[in-house]
Amino acid sequence: MSMDSGGTEEPGWDVDPEDEQGVAVVAALGRQLKAWRESADMRPADFGAAIQYGEDQVRKVEAGKRIPRPEYLDRADAVLKAGGKISAMKADLEQVRYPRKIRVLAKMEATAVEIGTYNNHNIHGLLQTEEYARALFRTWRPAYSPDEMERVVSGRMARHSIFERSPAPALSFVQEEVTLRRPIGGTMVLRRQLEHLLEVIQLPNIEFQVMPTDREDHAGMEGLIEVLKFGDGSAVGRAEGAFYGRPVSDPRHLRILELRYGIIRAQALTPRESRDFIKRRPRRRKQRLHRPPLEAFLTAEVPFSPY
């Protein structure tokens, strides 16, 4: 990751010029930081040295061209003796520090009372470990820059706050078997991902199911399906194979997605069978039986039997 000359911390993220909300918030924050610095009669270079950031970084933040990290604001608050007023800006910054698409999705997830999703390419973002998410994002093309990588990974991990909500939303996941076998990031990354998955799906508000590869056909053959329902009775959904992949909220369209998802759940393994599926030792040749169950699962060359 790039670092500013003279700084000892990661610099932050560039502001997306197409993100109007982000531009406005970061510009306002920059003006306030500049006013605080000038009232303390400190030059940008001196202030940067005091908070262990480079002068160029300070100027970019104050010009509203760079999103500072929370540590930047905490150090600025201490150096400028702001009594917590600058640190309090982190609440505003939190709303725009991640890409707009991630913020929109996280906002919907944060208010949904029920989420149902079928995934056929990779493990759902709410269930991913940080190292799995990072390895997954490394496969995207064009490749992310180091700063962009940190931003999208941080955004994905921030969505995990949904598990801390009270009352907890009802979450339902159906994963294609291949998503649990493909060693994204390597075998050990996947192993730790599956161990994490086994912990998360024990939560009482989560139903997790596996769609075995040996199913001859099922209702999810057209791709991803996701439906989110909210407390006011409204809902939004999307599917790769319907309505051009765009989000829909029309009750007639949602009924189609819910019908497909309901059939998918009926065709998948039950939650209990799915947990056993992940943990079960496959039937392998005798010389392989000394391997730990989970490692054997990851390297299995024959399909599991759910029974």
Side-chain angles (χ1 to χ4, degrees):
M1 178 171 297
S2 61
M3 298 180 65
D4 287 326
S5 177
T8 61
E9 288 290 326
E10 298 170 343
W13 299 305
D14 289 329
V15 179
D16 182 355
E18 297 183 0
D19 183 357
E20 295 181 2
Q21 180 189 8
V23 169
V25 170
V26 177
L29 183 144
R31 287 193 297 270
Q32 293 182 58
L33 285 171
K34 184 177 181 180
W36 275 96
R37 176 182 59 77
E38 291 180 340
S39 68
D41 197 25
M42 296 184 71
R43 297 179 303 173
D46 297 333
F47 176 65
I51 64 172
Q52 298 181 320
Y53 278 86
E55 178 182 355
D56 183 59
Q57 169 72 358
V58 171
R59 293 187 182 277
K60 286 181 178 179
V61 168
E62 292 183 353
K65 296 180 179 179
R66 198 74 160 161
I67 302 175
R69 294 181 181 272
E71 295 81 2
Y72 184 106
L73 299 183
D74 287 335
R75 293 183 182 187
D77 191 280
V79 169
L80 298 173
K81 297 180 174 58
K85 294 183 176 63
I86 293 178
S87 291
M89 298 179 191
K90 289 188 291 186
D92 297 319
L93 190 64
E94 187 69 23
Q95 303 302 313
V96 299
R97 65 181 301 203
Y98 306 119
R100 183 175 180 276
K101 289 178 64 175
I102 295 178
R103 297 202 310 268
V104 172
L105 177 58
K107 184 176 181 180
M108 289 194 296
E109 290 175 342
T111 55
V113 296
E114 183 179 336
I115 299 176
T117 177
Y118 160 71
N119 304 275
N120 61 342
H121 292 308
N122 46 258
I123 295 172
H124 192 277
L126 291 177
L127 302 174
Q128 293 175 10
T129 63
E130 181 175 340
E131 62 176 350
Y132 179 95
R134 191 179 300 277
L136 179 63
F137 283 130
R138 287 198 185 102
T139 69
W140 288 24
R141 296 294 182 271
Y144 285 118
S145 70
D147 282 350
E148 290 171 335
M149 175 65 76
E150 293 305 314
R151 194 179 187 195
V152 295
V153 171
S154 296
R156 177 149 296 185
M157 294 300 102
R159 290 168 53 197
H160 290 186
S161 61
I162 191 172
F163 298 116
E164 301 171 3
R165 281 176 50 191
S166 180
L171 304 177
S172 168
F173 302 91
V174 179
Q175 292 281 161
E176 278 288 345
E177 176 185 340
V178 67
T179 66
L180 306 176
R181 290 185 177 275
R182 181 171 291 123
I184 293 175
T187 300
M188 294 310 299
V189 170
L190 180 58
R191 179 185 180 117
R192 286 188 288 270
Q193 170 63 66
L194 295 180
E195 290 171 343
H196 171 74
L197 182 60
L198 288 171
E199 293 179 2
V200 173
I201 64 178
Q202 293 182 40
L203 295 175
N205 62 310
I206 293 180
E207 298 290 339
F208 180 86
Q209 297 176 256
V210 174
M211 180 66 75
T213 300
D214 62 7
R215 290 288 190 265
E216 292 184 3
D217 57 68
H218 63 77
M221 299 303 292
E222 290 184 285
L224 177 147
I225 295 177
E226 188 162 25
V227 178
L228 292 84
K229 299 182 180 180
F230 306 98
D232 61 1
S234 63
V236 63
R238 66 186 180 102
E240 290 181 342
F243 317 117
Y244 304 101
R246 297 172 181 169
V248 295
S249 56
D250 186 292
R252 295 171 298 176
H253 296 160
L254 287 169
R255 203 155 34 241
I256 294 174
L257 299 187
E258 290 178 335
L259 172 64
R260 291 186 184 180
Y261 188 62
I263 296 175
I264 288 172
R265 292 196 65 185
Q267 294 171 321
L269 301 181
T270 67
R272 182 184 296 274
E273 291 169 342
S274 297
R275 288 193 299 271
D276 291 343
F277 186 92
I278 296 176
K279 295 184 292 185
R280 190 186 303 272
R281 181 195 299 269
R283 293 189 296 272
R284 299 296 302 275
R285 294 188 300 273
K286 183 173 295 185
Q287 62 267 32
R288 296 278 185 160
L289 293 181
H290 67 279
R291 293 194 175 200
L294 189 56
E295 184 176 356
F297 168 77
L298 296 176
T299 59
E301 299 173 357
V302 296
F304 280 71
S305 168
Y307 305 106

